[in-house]
Amino acid sequence: GAGVSQSPSNKVTEKGKDVELRCDPISGHTALYWYRQSLGQGLEFLIYFQGNSAPDKSGLPSDRFSAERTGGSVSTLTIQRTQQEDSAVYLCASSRQGSGETQYFGPGTRLLVL
Amino acid sequence: EDKVVQSPLSLVVHEGDTVTLNCSYEVTNFRSLLWYKQEKKAPTFLFMLTSSGIEKKSGRLSSILDKKELFSILNITATQTGDSAIYLCAVGGNDYKLSFGAGTTVTVRA
């Protein structure tokens, strides 16, 4: 597609439920990133995928967070047993390769945990 | 730990004014500095700077990097209401991660 797409655009869930957020990167981009942006804060790095390499999960805040990237394209970020502090905008970005490349962002998913 | 500080946190101007946004950084093995504009949710790419002293320009927006003093500025001239947004500065080091500042919220009043 023309740009990075994410779904859903908004998600409201109850505390304790699991949620799945989806990201479709720009076609041909091998690197994919997930970030979290809380109200009034900068972007917080969560996880990075590059080609077939093992993902860098160093930014995931807890073991309730996990992510997969199937076939080197679409990625899913899963949050299990959601907590109110998980409420944020989750942004996905992709780049042609990894280091030094401009990252292009999707429209994000706004998650609200009640 | 990499650090990116933007100032001011927010500002309000009138149409036609010029704004200057600042970004200072501390990063291991600096590689690039990027500016993004964020309206609603998706940050959109503005500039990538890798060399000192070279001005990048696009219409009314321009940016310059000072690698010696470890900062960058983003200028917007003849501001319009459509320039209202959060402007994010991000710095890339030796790896693929970008460290983001908290952003500057610009409000342009008609």
Side-chain angles (χ1 to χ4, degrees):
Chain A
V4 179
S5 61
Q6 292 186 244
S7 61
S9 56
N10 293 284
K11 176 74 177 177
V12 180
T13 191
E14 292 178 349
K15 178 181 170 182
K17 296 280 177 95
D18 297 352
V19 295
E20 275 191 1
L21 313 179
R22 177 187 167 107
C23 172
D24 274 279
I26 293 172
S27 178
H29 281 195
T30 60
L32 187 147
Y33 314 75
W34 282 98
Y35 293 87
R36 177 169 72 173
Q37 187 176 31
S38 302
L39 192 63
Q41 304 294 315
L43 274 68
E44 174 191 3
F45 168 79
L46 297 178
I47 188 168
Y48 163 75
F49 296 91
Q50 168 58 23
N52 295 321
S53 303
D56 177 353
K57 304 179 182 181
S58 61
L60 294 178
S62 79
D63 59 8
R64 296 185 296 103
F65 287 72
S66 62
E68 289 184 341
R69 189 178 185 194
T70 53
S73 182
V74 172
S75 177
T76 303
L77 177 69
T78 301
I79 309 173
Q80 295 177 306
R81 303 180 304 281
T82 51
Q83 304 293 313
Q84 287 181 333
E85 61 262 29
D86 299 335
S87 297
V89 176
Y90 289 82
L91 289 158
C92 174
S94 70
S95 64
R96 282 189 306 166
Q97 295 175 49
S99 180
E101 293 284 335
T102 300
Q103 296 178 25
Y104 295 91
F105 284 83
T109 295
R110 188 181 302 278
L111 175 66
L112 177 61
V113 182
L114 300 176
Chain B
E1 187 175 320
D2 297 344
K3 189 176 172 185
V4 180
V5 178
Q6 292 186 244
S7 63
L9 287 180
S10 64
L11 71 162
V12 179
V13 297
H14 289 95
E15 274 191 317
D17 288 349
T18 294
V19 299
T20 299
L21 310 182
N22 304 289
C23 176
S24 63
Y25 62 88
E26 294 173 23
V27 64
T28 305
N29 298 321
F30 173 88
R31 196 176 181 109
S32 58
L33 185 145
L34 297 89
W35 285 96
Y36 288 87
K37 176 182 181 182
Q38 186 175 25
E39 299 170 275
K40 297 183 182 177
K41 288 189 286 187
T44 52
F45 172 73
L46 295 175
F47 300 114
M48 175 191 272
L49 302 152
T50 57
S51 301
S52 271
I54 298 175
E55 184 180 27
K56 289 275 182 95
K57 196 170 169 63
S58 176
R60 296 176 294 101
L61 276 68
S62 64
S63 183
I64 197 160
L65 172 68
D66 186 328
K67 285 171 75 172
K68 183 180 175 186
E69 300 298 330
L70 306 182
F71 77 91
S72 172
I73 60 172
L74 176 69
N75 274 321
I76 310 173
T77 58
T79 51
Q80 303 170 358
T81 54
D83 296 326
S84 297
I86 300 171
Y87 291 83
L88 297 169
C89 173
V91 176
N94 210 30
D95 61 11
Y96 41 79
K97 294 178 190 173
L98 290 180
S99 297
F100 282 82
T104 295
T105 300
V106 175
T107 303
V108 181
R109 297 207 194 285

